[in-house]
Amino acid sequence: VVARPISTKVEHRVRTPISSNPRTIGEYIQKARRDRGLQQCELARLLGVWRATLGSWEANHYEPAGAVLKRVLDWLGFDPGNRVSKTNN
């Protein structure tokens, strides 16, 4: 048996570039999360969803719906009734 040396190289995941002009709910979520310095697991915990669910929104595979959509919009500071972001007032 030949022993192989253990690699000490750490692989880092490449961060997906964020659009400076988000067009989808997933892009808005990802941009706001990164702007606020949160990891996916942290935001998922705040919103009460699985990290994988949040990741699928950010990848535009799915969109939040129902009560979860309301929590996401509240977290983003967006009031769909006014169609104006609360953070821009």
Side-chain angles (χ1 to χ4, degrees), residues 2 8 13 20 25 28 31 39 41 47 50 58 65 70-71 85:
V2 177
T8 58
R13 293 180 62 169
S20 60
I25 186 80
Y28 273 103
K31 181 171 182 346
Q39 298 289 322
C41 60
L47 296 175
W50 294 100
E58 290 186 359
K70 179 171 180 354
R71 288 195 304 266
S85 171

Side-chain angles (χ1 to χ4, degrees), residues 29 32-33 36 38 43 46-47 71-77:
I29 294 168
R33 176 182 62 78
R36 297 174 191 185
L38 295 174
L43 178 55
L46 287 171
L47 296 175
R71 288 195 304 266
V72 169
L73 293 176
D74 286 345
W75 182 80
L76 288 170

Side-chain angles (χ1 to χ4, degrees), residues 2 9-10 16 25-26 44 49-50 57 60 66-67 69 78 82 87:
V2 177
K9 180 179 176 184
V10 177
T16 309
I25 186 80
V49 299
W50 294 100
W57 297 340
N60 295 308
L69 176 59
F78 182 75
N82 291 333
T87 58

